[in-house]
PDB file of all heavy atoms in Angstrom:
ATOM      1  N   THR A 539     -10.935   2.737 -24.231  1.00 96.00           N
ATOM      2  CA  THR A 539     -11.065   2.451 -25.616  1.00 96.00           C
ATOM      3  C   THR A 539     -12.445   1.859 -25.941  1.00 96.00           C
ATOM      4  O   THR A 539     -12.821   0.989 -25.101  1.00 96.00           O
ATOM      5  CB  THR A 539      -9.984   1.569 -26.220  1.00 96.00           C
ATOM      6  OG1 THR A 539      -8.663   2.119 -25.812  1.00 96.00           O
ATOM      7  CG2 THR A 539     -10.060   1.417 -27.700  1.00 96.00           C
ATOM      8  N   GLY A 540     -13.094   2.259 -26.885  1.00 95.00           N
ATOM      9  CA  GLY A 540     -14.354   1.635 -27.327  1.00 95.00           C
ATOM     10  C   GLY A 540     -15.569   2.358 -26.937  1.00 95.00           C
ATOM     11  O   GLY A 540     -16.705   1.879 -27.201  1.00 95.00           O
ATOM     12  N   PHE A 541     -15.487   3.412 -26.141  1.00 96.00           N
ATOM     13  CA  PHE A 541     -16.656   4.126 -25.669  1.00 96.00           C
ATOM     14  C   PHE A 541     -16.695   5.537 -26.214  1.00 96.00           C
ATOM     15  O   PHE A 541     -17.683   6.297 -25.762  1.00 96.00           O
ATOM     16  CB  PHE A 541     -16.718   4.119 -24.121  1.00 96.00           C
ATOM     17  CG  PHE A 541     -16.811   2.747 -23.587  1.00 96.00           C
ATOM     18  CD1 PHE A 541     -15.730   2.010 -23.282  1.00 96.00           C
ATOM     19  CD2 PHE A 541     -18.055   2.209 -23.438  1.00 96.00           C
ATOM     20  CE1 PHE A 541     -15.810   0.663 -22.700  1.00 96.00           C
ATOM     21  CE2 PHE A 541     -18.173   0.828 -22.871  1.00 96.00           C
ATOM     22  CZ  PHE A 541     -17.052   0.114 -22.565  1.00 96.00           C
ATOM     23  N   GLN A 542     -15.887   5.930 -27.105  1.00 96.00           N
ATOM     24  CA  GLN A 542     -15.835   7.349 -27.587  1.00 96.00           C
ATOM     25  C   GLN A 542     -17.087   7.498 -28.418  1.00 96.00           C
ATOM     26  O   GLN A 542     -17.586   8.587 -28.524  1.00 96.00           O
ATOM     27  CB  GLN A 542     -14.626   7.598 -28.479  1.00 96.00           C
ATOM     28  CG  GLN A 542     -13.372   7.692 -27.582  1.00 96.00           C
ATOM     29  CD  GLN A 542     -12.258   8.421 -28.312  1.00 96.00           C
ATOM     30  OE1 GLN A 542     -12.185   9.651 -28.295  1.00 96.00           O
ATOM     31  NE2 GLN A 542     -11.383   7.677 -29.043  1.00 96.00           N
ATOM     32  N   ARG A 543     -17.661   6.445 -29.011  1.00 95.00           N
ATOM     33  CA  ARG A 543     -18.902   6.666 -29.817  1.00 95.00           C
ATOM     34  C   ARG A 543     -20.156   7.041 -28.923  1.00 95.00           C
ATOM     35  O   ARG A 543     -21.117   7.467 -29.360  1.00 95.00           O
ATOM     36  CB  ARG A 543     -19.092   5.426 -30.592  1.00 95.00           C
ATOM     37  CG  ARG A 543     -19.876   4.305 -29.814  1.00 95.00           C
ATOM     38  CD  ARG A 543     -20.032   3.113 -30.774  1.00 95.00           C
ATOM     39  NE  ARG A 543     -18.827   2.177 -30.555  1.00 95.00           N
ATOM     40  CZ  ARG A 543     -18.964   0.856 -30.570  1.00 95.00           C
ATOM     41  NH1 ARG A 543     -20.135   0.313 -30.824  1.00 95.00           N
ATOM     42  NH2 ARG A 543     -17.948   0.196 -30.333  1.00 95.00           N
ATOM     43  N   TYR A 544     -19.915   6.879 -27.580  1.00 95.00           N
ATOM     44  CA  TYR A 544     -20.982   7.352 -26.719  1.00 95.00           C
ATOM     45  C   TYR A 544     -20.593   8.716 -26.039  1.00 95.00           C
ATOM     46  O   TYR A 544     -21.180   9.064 -24.989  1.00 95.00           O
ATOM     47  CB  TYR A 544     -21.271   6.291 -25.600  1.00 95.00           C
ATOM     48  CG  TYR A 544     -21.584   4.956 -26.225  1.00 95.00           C
ATOM     49  CD1 TYR A 544     -20.723   3.845 -25.930  1.00 95.00           C
ATOM     50  CD2 TYR A 544     -22.674   4.741 -26.974  1.00 95.00           C
ATOM     51  CE1 TYR A 544     -20.936   2.536 -26.446  1.00 95.00           C
ATOM     52  CE2 TYR A 544     -22.943   3.447 -27.608  1.00 95.00           C
ATOM     53  CZ  TYR A 544     -22.118   2.376 -27.373  1.00 95.00           C
ATOM     54  OH  TYR A 544     -22.339   1.174 -27.877  1.00 95.00           O
ATOM     55  N   GLY A 545     -19.562   9.355 -26.605  1.00 95.00           N
ATOM     56  CA  GLY A 545     -19.157  10.627 -26.030  1.00 95.00           C
ATOM     57  C   GLY A 545     -18.212  10.567 -24.913  1.00 95.00           C
ATOM     58  O   GLY A 545     -17.874  11.504 -24.270  1.00 95.00           O
ATOM     59  N   TYR A 651     -11.166   9.761 -15.153  1.00 94.00           N
ATOM     60  CA  TYR A 651     -11.798  10.770 -15.941  1.00 94.00           C
ATOM     61  C   TYR A 651     -12.261  11.846 -15.128  1.00 94.00           C
ATOM     62  O   TYR A 651     -13.370  11.758 -14.478  1.00 94.00           O
ATOM     63  CB  TYR A 651     -13.014  10.007 -16.684  1.00 94.00           C
ATOM     64  CG  TYR A 651     -13.885  10.750 -17.635  1.00 94.00           C
ATOM     65  CD1 TYR A 651     -14.917  10.110 -18.293  1.00 94.00           C
ATOM     66  CD2 TYR A 651     -13.695  12.139 -17.968  1.00 94.00           C
ATOM     67  CE1 TYR A 651     -15.788  10.783 -19.210  1.00 94.00           C
ATOM     68  CE2 TYR A 651     -14.560  12.776 -18.715  1.00 94.00           C
ATOM     69  CZ  TYR A 651     -15.532  12.107 -19.436  1.00 94.00           C
ATOM     70  OH  TYR A 651     -16.368  12.753 -20.205  1.00 94.00           O
ATOM     71  N   ARG A 712      -7.224  17.194 -41.526  1.00 96.00           N
ATOM     72  CA  ARG A 712      -8.366  16.940 -42.437  1.00 96.00           C
ATOM     73  C   ARG A 712      -8.804  18.162 -43.192  1.00 96.00           C
ATOM     74  O   ARG A 712      -9.288  18.185 -44.235  1.00 96.00           O
ATOM     75  CB  ARG A 712      -9.582  16.464 -41.604  1.00 96.00           C
ATOM     76  CG  ARG A 712      -9.478  15.012 -41.263  1.00 96.00           C
ATOM     77  CD  ARG A 712     -10.461  14.197 -42.147  1.00 96.00           C
ATOM     78  NE  ARG A 712     -11.866  14.662 -42.021  1.00 96.00           N
ATOM     79  CZ  ARG A 712     -12.753  14.489 -43.015  1.00 96.00           C
ATOM     80  NH1 ARG A 712     -12.346  13.928 -44.098  1.00 96.00           N
ATOM     81  NH2 ARG A 712     -13.952  14.926 -42.788  1.00 96.00           N
ATOM     82  N   ILE A 757     -18.993  20.918 -40.009  1.00 90.00           N
ATOM     83  CA  ILE A 757     -19.843  19.923 -39.319  1.00 90.00           C
ATOM     84  C   ILE A 757     -18.921  19.264 -38.347  1.00 90.00           C
ATOM     85  O   ILE A 757     -17.904  18.741 -38.815  1.00 90.00           O
ATOM     86  CB  ILE A 757     -20.440  18.968 -40.351  1.00 90.00           C
ATOM     87  CG1 ILE A 757     -21.270  19.773 -41.431  1.00 90.00           C
ATOM     88  CG2 ILE A 757     -21.310  17.949 -39.674  1.00 90.00           C
ATOM     89  CD1 ILE A 757     -21.726  18.957 -42.589  1.00 90.00           C
ATOM     90  N   ALA A 760     -15.131  13.478 -35.509  1.00 97.00           N
ATOM     91  CA  ALA A 760     -14.234  12.904 -34.592  1.00 97.00           C
ATOM     92  C   ALA A 760     -12.847  13.693 -34.591  1.00 97.00           C
ATOM     93  O   ALA A 760     -12.398  14.156 -35.665  1.00 97.00           O
ATOM     94  CB  ALA A 760     -13.961  11.404 -34.853  1.00 97.00           C
ATOM     95  N   GLN A 782     -12.172  16.124 -25.994  1.00 93.00           N
ATOM     96  CA  GLN A 782     -13.516  15.635 -26.291  1.00 93.00           C
ATOM     97  C   GLN A 782     -13.443  14.686 -27.461  1.00 93.00           C
ATOM     98  O   GLN A 782     -12.485  14.642 -28.163  1.00 93.00           O
ATOM     99  CB  GLN A 782     -14.420  16.816 -26.565  1.00 93.00           C
ATOM    100  CG  GLN A 782     -14.608  17.736 -25.332  1.00 93.00           C
ATOM    101  CD  GLN A 782     -15.253  19.074 -25.687  1.00 93.00           C
ATOM    102  OE1 GLN A 782     -15.503  19.374 -26.826  1.00 93.00           O
ATOM    103  NE2 GLN A 782     -15.437  19.870 -24.710  1.00 93.00           N
ATOM    104  N   THR A 784     -15.433  14.686 -30.188  1.00 94.00           N
ATOM    105  CA  THR A 784     -15.758  15.320 -31.427  1.00 94.00           C
ATOM    106  C   THR A 784     -15.443  16.802 -31.317  1.00 94.00           C
ATOM    107  O   THR A 784     -15.443  17.337 -30.209  1.00 94.00           O
ATOM    108  CB  THR A 784     -17.144  15.067 -31.909  1.00 94.00           C
ATOM    109  OG1 THR A 784     -18.033  15.572 -30.876  1.00 94.00           O
ATOM    110  CG2 THR A 784     -17.397  13.632 -32.168  1.00 94.00           C
ATOM    111  N   GLN A 792      -2.097  16.942 -37.635  1.00 98.00           N
ATOM    112  CA  GLN A 792      -2.282  15.800 -36.767  1.00 98.00           C
ATOM    113  C   GLN A 792      -0.852  15.306 -36.380  1.00 98.00           C
ATOM    114  O   GLN A 792      -0.116  14.872 -37.273  1.00 98.00           O
ATOM    115  CB  GLN A 792      -3.033  14.674 -37.532  1.00 98.00           C
ATOM    116  CG  GLN A 792      -3.180  13.331 -36.734  1.00 98.00           C
ATOM    117  CD  GLN A 792      -4.024  13.492 -35.526  1.00 98.00           C
ATOM    118  OE1 GLN A 792      -5.081  14.143 -35.562  1.00 98.00           O
ATOM    119  NE2 GLN A 792      -3.608  12.888 -34.348  1.00 98.00           N
ATOM    120  N   SER A 795       1.844   9.951 -33.903  1.00 97.00           N
ATOM    121  CA  SER A 795       1.737   9.308 -32.562  1.00 97.00           C
ATOM    122  C   SER A 795       3.031   9.144 -31.839  1.00 97.00           C
ATOM    123  O   SER A 795       3.158   9.472 -30.646  1.00 97.00           O
ATOM    124  CB  SER A 795       1.053   7.960 -32.668  1.00 97.00           C
ATOM    125  OG  SER A 795      -0.237   8.098 -33.143  1.00 97.00           O
ATOM    126  N   GLN A 821       2.860   6.081 -39.978  1.00 96.00           N
ATOM    127  CA  GLN A 821       2.470   4.706 -39.691  1.00 96.00           C
ATOM    128  C   GLN A 821       3.758   3.802 -39.577  1.00 96.00           C
ATOM    129  O   GLN A 821       3.881   2.970 -38.610  1.00 96.00           O
ATOM    130  CB  GLN A 821       1.519   4.059 -40.649  1.00 96.00           C
ATOM    131  CG  GLN A 821       0.974   2.707 -40.223  1.00 96.00           C
ATOM    132  CD  GLN A 821      -0.112   2.206 -41.007  1.00 96.00           C
ATOM    133  OE1 GLN A 821      -0.604   2.804 -41.986  1.00 96.00           O
ATOM    134  NE2 GLN A 821      -0.618   0.956 -40.720  1.00 96.00           N
ATOM    135  N   GLN A 822       4.647   3.993 -40.509  1.00 96.00           N
ATOM    136  CA  GLN A 822       5.951   3.189 -40.493  1.00 96.00           C
ATOM    137  C   GLN A 822       6.670   3.443 -39.180  1.00 96.00           C
ATOM    138  O   GLN A 822       7.125   2.504 -38.483  1.00 96.00           O
ATOM    139  CB  GLN A 822       6.775   3.581 -41.641  1.00 96.00           C
ATOM    140  CG  GLN A 822       7.991   2.706 -41.817  1.00 96.00           C
ATOM    141  CD  GLN A 822       7.596   1.245 -41.938  1.00 96.00           C
ATOM    142  OE1 GLN A 822       6.639   0.803 -42.538  1.00 96.00           O
ATOM    143  NE2 GLN A 822       8.483   0.393 -41.320  1.00 96.00           N
ATOM    144  N   GLU A 828       6.812   0.264 -32.153  1.00 95.00           N
ATOM    145  CA  GLU A 828       6.288  -0.972 -31.497  1.00 95.00           C
ATOM    146  C   GLU A 828       7.265  -2.105 -31.479  1.00 95.00           C
ATOM    147  O   GLU A 828       7.340  -2.828 -30.447  1.00 95.00           O
ATOM    148  CB  GLU A 828       4.936  -1.430 -32.227  1.00 95.00           C
ATOM    149  CG  GLU A 828       3.797  -0.415 -31.949  1.00 95.00           C
ATOM    150  CD  GLU A 828       3.497  -0.180 -30.500  1.00 95.00           C
ATOM    151  OE1 GLU A 828       3.272  -1.136 -29.777  1.00 95.00           O
ATOM    152  OE2 GLU A 828       3.511   0.934 -30.054  1.00 95.00           O
TER     153      GLU A 828
ATOM    154  N   SER B 967     -10.622   9.798 -46.122  1.00 95.00           N
ATOM    155  CA  SER B 967      -9.360  10.645 -45.897  1.00 95.00           C
ATOM    156  C   SER B 967      -8.857  10.283 -44.523  1.00 95.00           C
ATOM    157  O   SER B 967      -9.526  10.032 -43.526  1.00 95.00           O
ATOM    158  CB  SER B 967      -9.573  12.037 -46.120  1.00 95.00           C
ATOM    159  OG  SER B 967     -10.486  12.563 -45.196  1.00 95.00           O
ATOM    160  N   LEU B 969      -7.491  10.714 -40.813  1.00 97.00           N
ATOM    161  CA  LEU B 969      -7.477  11.660 -39.644  1.00 97.00           C
ATOM    162  C   LEU B 969      -6.020  11.636 -39.009  1.00 97.00           C
ATOM    163  O   LEU B 969      -5.462  12.628 -38.615  1.00 97.00           O
ATOM    164  CB  LEU B 969      -8.550  11.338 -38.597  1.00 97.00           C
ATOM    165  CG  LEU B 969      -8.421  12.027 -37.229  1.00 97.00           C
ATOM    166  CD1 LEU B 969      -8.744  13.542 -37.388  1.00 97.00           C
ATOM    167  CD2 LEU B 969      -9.437  11.400 -36.196  1.00 97.00           C
ATOM    168  N   GLU B 971      -2.387   8.428 -38.565  1.00 97.00           N
ATOM    169  CA  GLU B 971      -1.844   7.194 -39.106  1.00 97.00           C
ATOM    170  C   GLU B 971      -2.558   6.044 -38.467  1.00 97.00           C
ATOM    171  O   GLU B 971      -2.207   4.857 -38.816  1.00 97.00           O
ATOM    172  CB  GLU B 971      -0.410   7.158 -38.873  1.00 97.00           C
ATOM    173  CG  GLU B 971       0.084   6.715 -37.392  1.00 97.00           C
ATOM    174  CD  GLU B 971       0.011   7.898 -36.524  1.00 97.00           C
ATOM    175  OE1 GLU B 971      -1.134   8.400 -36.233  1.00 97.00           O
ATOM    176  OE2 GLU B 971       1.103   8.324 -35.952  1.00 97.00           O
ATOM    177  N   GLN B 972      -3.518   6.329 -37.632  1.00 97.00           N
ATOM    178  CA  GLN B 972      -4.363   5.159 -37.144  1.00 97.00           C
ATOM    179  C   GLN B 972      -5.868   5.430 -37.206  1.00 97.00           C
ATOM    180  O   GLN B 972      -6.596   4.767 -36.402  1.00 97.00           O
ATOM    181  CB  GLN B 972      -3.907   4.738 -35.740  1.00 97.00           C
ATOM    182  CG  GLN B 972      -3.509   5.896 -34.860  1.00 97.00           C
ATOM    183  CD  GLN B 972      -2.716   5.341 -33.546  1.00 97.00           C
ATOM    184  OE1 GLN B 972      -3.208   4.345 -33.052  1.00 97.00           O
ATOM    185  NE2 GLN B 972      -1.747   6.105 -33.106  1.00 97.00           N
ATOM    186  N   GLU B 998     -20.394  -2.492 -35.991  1.00 91.00           N
ATOM    187  CA  GLU B 998     -20.773  -3.092 -34.694  1.00 91.00           C
ATOM    188  C   GLU B 998     -20.864  -4.587 -34.828  1.00 91.00           C
ATOM    189  O   GLU B 998     -20.487  -5.297 -33.885  1.00 91.00           O
ATOM    190  CB  GLU B 998     -22.109  -2.487 -34.151  1.00 91.00           C
ATOM    191  CG  GLU B 998     -22.007  -1.947 -32.738  1.00 91.00           C
ATOM    192  CD  GLU B 998     -23.000  -0.900 -32.470  1.00 91.00           C
ATOM    193  OE1 GLU B 998     -24.161  -1.040 -32.847  1.00 91.00           O
ATOM    194  OE2 GLU B 998     -22.643   0.176 -31.950  1.00 91.00           O
ATOM    195  N   VAL B1006     -10.156  -0.856 -33.817  1.00 97.00           N
ATOM    196  CA  VAL B1006     -10.015  -0.475 -32.403  1.00 97.00           C
ATOM    197  C   VAL B1006     -11.219   0.149 -31.916  1.00 97.00           C
ATOM    198  O   VAL B1006     -11.792  -0.296 -30.892  1.00 97.00           O
ATOM    199  CB  VAL B1006      -8.826   0.589 -32.249  1.00 97.00           C
ATOM    200  CG1 VAL B1006      -8.690   1.002 -30.839  1.00 97.00           C
ATOM    201  CG2 VAL B1006      -7.499  -0.094 -32.690  1.00 97.00           C
ATOM    202  N   GLU B1007     -11.791   1.164 -32.577  1.00 97.00           N
ATOM    203  CA  GLU B1007     -13.148   1.690 -32.326  1.00 97.00           C
ATOM    204  C   GLU B1007     -13.550   2.578 -33.391  1.00 97.00           C
ATOM    205  O   GLU B1007     -12.782   2.830 -34.357  1.00 97.00           O
ATOM    206  CB  GLU B1007     -13.131   2.334 -30.915  1.00 97.00           C
ATOM    207  CG  GLU B1007     -12.397   3.631 -30.792  1.00 97.00           C
ATOM    208  CD  GLU B1007     -12.598   4.235 -29.428  1.00 97.00           C
ATOM    209  OE1 GLU B1007     -13.732   4.332 -28.894  1.00 97.00           O
ATOM    210  OE2 GLU B1007     -11.535   4.684 -28.786  1.00 97.00           O
ATOM    211  N   PHE B1008     -14.823   3.125 -33.389  1.00 97.00           N
ATOM    212  CA  PHE B1008     -15.142   4.029 -34.390  1.00 97.00           C
ATOM    213  C   PHE B1008     -16.074   5.155 -33.737  1.00 97.00           C
ATOM    214  O   PHE B1008     -16.666   4.871 -32.734  1.00 97.00           O
ATOM    215  CB  PHE B1008     -15.914   3.361 -35.547  1.00 97.00           C
ATOM    216  CG  PHE B1008     -17.165   2.703 -35.052  1.00 97.00           C
ATOM    217  CD1 PHE B1008     -18.424   3.393 -35.173  1.00 97.00           C
ATOM    218  CD2 PHE B1008     -17.229   1.351 -34.628  1.00 97.00           C
ATOM    219  CE1 PHE B1008     -19.637   2.746 -34.836  1.00 97.00           C
ATOM    220  CE2 PHE B1008     -18.430   0.808 -34.250  1.00 97.00           C
ATOM    221  CZ  PHE B1008     -19.584   1.522 -34.369  1.00 97.00           C
ATOM    222  N   THR B1016     -15.619   7.866 -38.245  1.00 98.00           N
ATOM    223  CA  THR B1016     -14.134   7.792 -38.144  1.00 98.00           C
ATOM    224  C   THR B1016     -13.701   6.442 -37.585  1.00 98.00           C
ATOM    225  O   THR B1016     -14.201   6.051 -36.476  1.00 98.00           O
ATOM    226  CB  THR B1016     -13.563   8.880 -37.275  1.00 98.00           C
ATOM    227  OG1 THR B1016     -14.009  10.215 -37.869  1.00 98.00           O
ATOM    228  CG2 THR B1016     -12.055   8.889 -37.220  1.00 98.00           C
ATOM    229  N   PRO B1021      -2.390   0.161 -36.254  1.00 97.00           N
ATOM    230  CA  PRO B1021      -1.489   0.429 -37.288  1.00 97.00           C
ATOM    231  C   PRO B1021      -0.486  -0.694 -37.568  1.00 97.00           C
ATOM    232  O   PRO B1021       0.149  -0.792 -38.610  1.00 97.00           O
ATOM    233  CB  PRO B1021      -0.750   1.714 -36.930  1.00 97.00           C
ATOM    234  CG  PRO B1021      -1.533   2.254 -35.720  1.00 97.00           C
ATOM    235  CD  PRO B1021      -2.241   1.145 -35.119  1.00 97.00           C
ATOM    236  N   CYS B1022      -0.264  -1.610 -36.530  1.00 96.00           N
ATOM    237  CA  CYS B1022       0.624  -2.709 -36.731  1.00 96.00           C
ATOM    238  C   CYS B1022      -0.047  -3.816 -37.472  1.00 96.00           C
ATOM    239  O   CYS B1022       0.639  -4.747 -37.926  1.00 96.00           O
ATOM    240  CB  CYS B1022       1.113  -3.216 -35.370  1.00 96.00           C
ATOM    241  SG  CYS B1022       2.126  -2.044 -34.492  1.00 96.00           S
ATOM    242  N   ILE B1024      -2.603  -3.443 -40.000  1.00 97.00           N
ATOM    243  CA  ILE B1024      -3.073  -3.194 -41.340  1.00 97.00           C
ATOM    244  C   ILE B1024      -2.675  -1.736 -41.764  1.00 97.00           C
ATOM    245  O   ILE B1024      -2.595  -0.810 -40.995  1.00 97.00           O
ATOM    246  CB  ILE B1024      -4.689  -3.308 -41.307  1.00 97.00           C
ATOM    247  CG1 ILE B1024      -5.280  -3.244 -42.737  1.00 97.00           C
ATOM    248  CG2 ILE B1024      -5.345  -2.301 -40.453  1.00 97.00           C
ATOM    249  CD1 ILE B1024      -6.764  -3.676 -42.841  1.00 97.00           C
ATOM    250  N   ARG B1025      -2.389  -1.664 -43.120  1.00 95.00           N
ATOM    251  CA  ARG B1025      -2.082  -0.380 -43.712  1.00 95.00           C
ATOM    252  C   ARG B1025      -3.354   0.459 -44.009  1.00 95.00           C
ATOM    253  O   ARG B1025      -4.339  -0.095 -44.280  1.00 95.00           O
ATOM    254  CB  ARG B1025      -1.247  -0.590 -44.980  1.00 95.00           C
ATOM    255  CG  ARG B1025       0.154  -1.080 -44.678  1.00 95.00           C
ATOM    256  CD  ARG B1025       1.086   0.100 -44.301  1.00 95.00           C
ATOM    257  NE  ARG B1025       2.358  -0.322 -43.995  1.00 95.00           N
ATOM    258  CZ  ARG B1025       3.326   0.475 -43.665  1.00 95.00           C
ATOM    259  NH1 ARG B1025       3.103   1.862 -43.667  1.00 95.00           N
ATOM    260  NH2 ARG B1025       4.521   0.043 -43.372  1.00 95.00           N
ATOM    261  N   GLN B1026      -3.153   1.730 -43.989  1.00 94.00           N
ATOM    262  CA  GLN B1026      -4.324   2.583 -44.203  1.00 94.00           C
ATOM    263  C   GLN B1026      -5.001   2.324 -45.495  1.00 94.00           C
ATOM    264  O   GLN B1026      -6.251   2.231 -45.637  1.00 94.00           O
ATOM    265  CB  GLN B1026      -3.921   4.081 -44.206  1.00 94.00           C
ATOM    266  CG  GLN B1026      -5.081   5.082 -44.258  1.00 94.00           C
ATOM    267  CD  GLN B1026      -4.814   6.252 -43.428  1.00 94.00           C
ATOM    268  OE1 GLN B1026      -4.114   7.085 -43.938  1.00 94.00           O
ATOM    269  NE2 GLN B1026      -5.410   6.534 -42.333  1.00 94.00           N
ATOM    270  N   ILE B1093     -23.978  11.594 -30.830  1.00 94.00           N
ATOM    271  CA  ILE B1093     -23.552  11.655 -29.412  1.00 94.00           C
ATOM    272  C   ILE B1093     -22.147  12.109 -29.442  1.00 94.00           C
ATOM    273  O   ILE B1093     -21.288  11.534 -30.072  1.00 94.00           O
ATOM    274  CB  ILE B1093     -23.689  10.335 -28.714  1.00 94.00           C
ATOM    275  CG1 ILE B1093     -25.097   9.731 -28.875  1.00 94.00           C
ATOM    276  CG2 ILE B1093     -23.271  10.436 -27.230  1.00 94.00           C
ATOM    277  CD1 ILE B1093     -26.209  10.380 -28.117  1.00 94.00           C
ATOM    278  N   PHE B1095     -19.131  15.406 -27.695  1.00 84.00           N
ATOM    279  CA  PHE B1095     -18.917  16.614 -26.811  1.00 84.00           C
ATOM    280  C   PHE B1095     -18.748  16.257 -25.359  1.00 84.00           C
ATOM    281  O   PHE B1095     -17.797  16.649 -24.699  1.00 84.00           O
ATOM    282  CB  PHE B1095     -19.921  17.732 -27.123  1.00 84.00           C
ATOM    283  CG  PHE B1095     -19.953  18.832 -25.950  1.00 84.00           C
ATOM    284  CD1 PHE B1095     -18.930  19.748 -25.903  1.00 84.00           C
ATOM    285  CD2 PHE B1095     -21.001  18.939 -25.127  1.00 84.00           C
ATOM    286  CE1 PHE B1095     -18.851  20.685 -24.993  1.00 84.00           C
ATOM    287  CE2 PHE B1095     -21.014  19.860 -24.080  1.00 84.00           C
ATOM    288  CZ  PHE B1095     -19.955  20.833 -24.088  1.00 84.00           C
ATOM    289  N   ALA B1096     -19.664  15.533 -24.827  1.00 88.00           N
ATOM    290  CA  ALA B1096     -19.535  15.090 -23.513  1.00 88.00           C
ATOM    291  C   ALA B1096     -20.324  13.695 -23.388  1.00 88.00           C
ATOM    292  O   ALA B1096     -20.961  13.319 -24.353  1.00 88.00           O
ATOM    293  CB  ALA B1096     -20.328  15.962 -22.509  1.00 88.00           C
ATOM    294  N   PRO B1097     -19.910  12.863 -22.379  1.00 93.00           N
ATOM    295  CA  PRO B1097     -20.529  11.519 -22.342  1.00 93.00           C
ATOM    296  C   PRO B1097     -22.014  11.494 -22.412  1.00 93.00           C
ATOM    297  O   PRO B1097     -22.693  12.082 -21.563  1.00 93.00           O
ATOM    298  CB  PRO B1097     -19.980  10.896 -21.033  1.00 93.00           C
ATOM    299  CG  PRO B1097     -19.545  12.048 -20.255  1.00 93.00           C
ATOM    300  CD  PRO B1097     -19.165  13.127 -21.166  1.00 93.00           C
ATOM    301  N   GLY B1098     -22.571  10.924 -23.411  1.00 95.00           N
ATOM    302  CA  GLY B1098     -24.003  10.828 -23.570  1.00 95.00           C
ATOM    303  C   GLY B1098     -24.718  12.087 -24.003  1.00 95.00           C
ATOM    304  O   GLY B1098     -25.922  12.107 -24.070  1.00 95.00           O
TER     305      GLY B1098
END
Side-chain angles (χ1 to χ4, degrees):
Chain A
T539 306
F541 296 91
Q542 289 200 87
R543 81 184 93 143
Y544 306 118
Y651 180 177
R712 280 256 303 153
I757 302 172
Q782 291 168 1
T784 55
Q792 174 68 41
S795 294
Q821 185 171 2
Q822 188 55 39
E828 289 306 305
Chain B
S967 66
L969 170 65
E971 79 280 65
Q972 38 192 321
E998 231 155 47
V1006 175
E1007 67 178 315
F1008 64 93
T1016 302
C1022 291
I1024 189 167
R1025 287 279 174 177
Q1026 188 150 74
I1093 305 290
F1095 165 69

